[in-house]
Amino acid sequence: QRILRLAEMCRKLETEEEKVLPFYPSSLAEEELQVARRVLEETPVEPLARTMQDYVGLERFWQRFNKAKLEEKVLEQVQEALANRNQHLRKLLQQYLEGYTVSQEVLREPHPL
């Protein structure tokens, strides 16, 4: 219940985009979605399945949690790619500056090449 109350409080802080399209579209085909809906509507027989019915309210929480984890992984990959690009650009800049310094030194000599 505490998690559900916190989720309600967090709902107020969501952006408009998150309120309109909070999750990624499903990758299931239409037939698979219909089968999944039918299974969810059936009354569970097994004890574990009955217990899980008590936690259906947490489904939205887990969807948000998984979405946040996916976005975190994507941001980590982007950060790594940017760090690699930054390192490459620093090397190019260093090579350029080394070439520029040598050229200036050569020009200052009394008899340049």
Side-chain angles (χ1 to χ4, degrees):
Q1 288 180 350
R2 182 170 181 242
I3 292 175
L4 292 175
R5 279 195 309 260
L6 289 173
E8 289 173 12
M9 290 170 44
C10 291
R11 176 93 170 124
K12 296 174 187 174
L13 302 174
E14 290 178 351
T15 64
E16 286 299 318
E17 181 182 343
E18 289 174 326
K19 288 179 182 176
V20 174
L21 186 61
F23 307 111
Y24 301 112
S26 176
S27 60
L28 297 176
E30 187 59 36
E31 301 101 29
E32 293 171 322
L33 282 173
Q34 291 173 356
V35 170
R37 285 187 196 117
R38 270 188 263 125
V39 168
L40 287 174
E41 291 170 357
E42 294 175 3
T43 305
V45 180
E46 295 114 12
L48 178 61
R50 280 185 290 203
T51 304
M52 288 181 64
Q53 286 291 85
D54 296 339
Y55 296 98
V56 170
L58 293 175
E59 181 178 350
R60 189 165 169 92
F61 164 78
W62 286 114
Q63 287 175 333
R64 289 181 182 281
F65 179 82
N66 291 333
K67 180 182 178 191
K69 280 294 186 186
L70 285 172
E71 289 176 354
E72 180 183 22
K73 292 294 181 190
V74 167
L75 289 174
E76 286 174 1
Q77 290 175 351
V78 168
Q79 182 181 17
E80 185 179 337
L82 289 173
N84 290 339
R85 176 84 172 137
N86 189 25
Q87 185 178 14
H88 176 71
L89 290 173
R90 284 179 186 267
K91 285 180 183 177
L92 289 176
L93 181 60
Q94 185 177 3
Q95 288 173 359
Y96 171 78
L97 291 176
E98 287 172 357
Y100 181 76
T101 305
V102 169
S103 297
Q104 292 297 320
E105 290 173 2
V106 168
L107 291 175
R108 287 187 189 136
E109 292 180 4
H111 304 290
L113 300 173

